[in-house]
Amino acid sequence: MSVVHKGWNWETIHSESWLDVSEEFLPVALKWKDKFKSILDIGAGIGRHSIFFAENGFDVSAIDISESSVEIIAKEAKNRNLKIDVRIADMIGLRME
């Protein structure tokens, strides 16, 4: 059975909750700051966590299957002068080499 993956059209999502770092995520992310230097945000959405990490000194790569997502993250990173490597990818197709 083949599964078709489809990204969200972020241009049509009008919820402020997608803009803020999630409450549950913040304590874990702050612990990571002393242990890790780079982060891969898989299924990055509109980049709330990618932006948080980049603003806190991490080297960030972000992937999402949605083209509109990648465009939003890239634009926001540029506006904030952050370096985030953003790419369109389906997380199911990722593999380590």
Side-chain angles (χ1 to χ4, degrees):
M1 182 170 140
S2 178
V3 177
V4 177
H5 301 104
K6 183 178 178 187
W8 293 7
N9 180 354
W10 287 100
E11 302 296 330
T12 64
I13 306 295
H14 302 289
S15 173
E16 296 294 316
S17 66
W18 291 105
L19 301 176
D20 298 322
V21 173
S22 63
E23 239 178 73
E24 302 83 15
F25 173 80
L26 192 56
V28 174
L30 292 175
K31 284 182 184 179
W32 289 348
K33 189 172 183 179
D34 296 331
K35 291 183 177 185
F36 303 104
K37 295 180 185 210
S38 61
I39 295 291
L40 172 59
D41 188 357
I42 300 174
I46 56 175
R48 62 184 172 166
H49 297 124
S50 296
I51 290 166
F52 170 83
F53 279 124
E55 288 177 334
N56 283 278
F58 288 87
D59 294 327
V60 179
S61 297
I63 66 165
D64 200 280
I65 197 171
S66 168
E67 186 175 341
S68 64
S69 170
V70 169
E71 290 171 358
I72 291 168
I73 297 169
K75 181 178 178 183
E76 191 62 29
K78 184 177 180 180
N79 289 344
R80 295 179 187 219
N81 199 28
L82 299 171
K83 185 181 175 197
I84 301 175
D85 178 17
V86 187
R87 298 172 190 233
I88 298 170
D90 184 343
M91 69 177 83
I92 300 300
L94 295 178
R95 63 179 215 201
M96 300 293 290
E97 292 189 25

